């Protein structure tokens, strides 16, 4: 049975919009970087682009985009174990929309496996979600407007002047290309907080049979 649940529908669903906004409000109160619509829509688009580039079918691509939109709603409950609580929330939302069980399983498995503390690339959707989520580093995610009080997460995100995820010409490698202002944050600081995420991207890329590479200021560092 074909599902009526589309990425467009999920993006416009008022309840889901509320969950995304309230989850981001909770993280804002805790001092985290932006996890609202700019983040989840970027994750959704990147996950979709990745699977499309690897010639996956249209429905798998759409399910990855839905997972991208929903992946952080568990933060409305608590940052701790937000991937697992978000997966349970997504199950109820999608089940109430009569989405087929096989599709729900793919989405909630991806959501439940996107946080680096417990993440595993179990299927194409989960692998795409991991890569899309962990490579979203950019200046506009920083909420703090007082540069003098930046913590390391603020500095590292603010220092990124350009971030591009791309395939190498022969599609043997997935490359995260960053231009970092080293006057704001050193490359070592980037690795201090993002090394675990980049290693996770490496595992997720291996799921697709490609190598993950990171190029910072023109130098291959991973």
């Amino acid at each position: 049975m074909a599902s009526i649940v589309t990425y467009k529908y999920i993006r416009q669903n008022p309840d889901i919009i509320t969950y995304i906004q309230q989850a981001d409000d909770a993280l804002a109160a805790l001092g985290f970087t932006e996890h609202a619509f700019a983040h989840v829509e970027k994750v959704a688009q990147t996950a979709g682009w990745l699977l499309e580039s690897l010639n996956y079918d249209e429905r798998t691509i759409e399910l990855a985009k839905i997972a991208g939109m929903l992946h952080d709603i568990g933060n409305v409950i608590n940052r701790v174990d937000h991937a697992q609580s978000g997966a349970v929330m997504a199950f109820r939302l999608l089940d109430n929309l009569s989405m087929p069980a096989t599709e729900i399983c793919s989405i909630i498995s991806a959501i439940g496996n996107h946080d680096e503390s417990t993440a595993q690339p179990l299927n194409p959707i989960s692998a795409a979600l991991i890569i899309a989520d962990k490579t979203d580093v950019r200046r506009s995610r920083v909420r703090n407007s007082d540069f003098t009080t930046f913590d390391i997460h603020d500095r590292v995100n603010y220092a990124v002047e350009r971030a591009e995820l791309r395939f190498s010409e022969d599609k043997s490698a997935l490359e995260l290309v960053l231009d970092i202002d080293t006057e704001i944050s050193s490359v070592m600081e980037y690795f201090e907080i993002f090394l675990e995420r980049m290693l996770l991207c490496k595992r997720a890329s291996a799921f697709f049979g490609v190598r993950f590479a990171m190029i910072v200021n023109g130098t291959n560092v991973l």
Side-chain angles (χ1 to χ4, degrees), residues 94-107:
L94 299 174
D95 188 50
N96 285 343
L97 295 171
S98 298
M99 176 180 270
T102 54
E103 294 189 349
I104 294 176
C105 286
S106 295
I107 291 172

Side-chain angles (χ1 to χ4, degrees), residues 44-222:
Q45 292 300 322
T46 300
W49 163 81
L50 178 58
L51 293 182
E52 183 178 9
S53 300
L54 293 168
N55 299 316
Y56 280 85
D57 64 275
E58 289 185 9
R59 188 57 182 167
T60 300
I61 292 167
E62 185 153 47
L63 294 179
K65 293 168 73 173
I66 291 172
M69 282 297 296
L70 296 175
H71 79 279
D72 269 341
I73 58 175
N75 285 303
V76 76
I77 296 175
N78 198 297
R79 179 62 178 175
V80 177
D81 295 331
H82 77 282
Q84 288 75 26
S85 55
V88 174
M89 291 173 65
F91 165 76
R92 177 164 184 183
L93 288 165
L94 299 174
D95 188 50
N96 285 343
L97 295 171
S98 298
M99 176 180 270
T102 54
E103 294 189 349
I104 294 176
C105 286
S106 295
I107 291 172
I108 63 175
S109 177
I111 294 173
N113 279 281
H114 86 271
D115 186 64
E116 53 264 34
S117 61
T118 55
Q120 293 294 334
L122 302 178
N123 54 42
I125 294 171
S126 62
L129 178 60
I130 286 168
I131 294 167
D133 183 40
K134 304 312 171 193
T135 57
D136 183 21
V137 53
R138 51 189 161 83
R139 179 168 292 183
S140 56
R141 293 194 71 182
V142 179
R143 304 179 201 266
N144 189 354
S145 59
D146 183 358
F147 190 82
T148 62
T149 63
F150 273 12
D151 64 13
I152 186 172
H153 290 84
D154 292 330
R155 285 197 305 276
V156 167
N157 279 279
Y158 197 82
V160 175
E161 298 176 327
R162 180 177 76 98
E164 178 188 359
L165 187 65
R166 70 188 187 192
F167 278 98
S168 60
E169 285 190 15
D170 62 1
K171 283 201 170 183
S172 67
L174 189 60
E175 300 171 338
L176 177 62
V177 183
L178 300 174
D179 292 338
I180 293 178
D181 184 342
T182 55
E183 295 292 320
I184 298 173
S185 174
S186 67
V187 175
M188 284 301 297
E189 272 196 322
Y190 183 96
F191 273 100
E192 184 178 338
I193 64 170
F194 283 133
L195 179 58
E196 189 176 7
R197 301 180 194 183
M198 295 302 98
L199 293 176
L200 182 56
C201 286
K202 192 174 182 179
R203 294 210 312 271
S205 297
F207 178 92
F208 295 118
V210 300
R211 182 173 57 87
F212 183 77
M214 196 165 101
I215 302 166
V216 179
N217 293 349
T219 300
N220 197 321
V221 296
L222 184 67

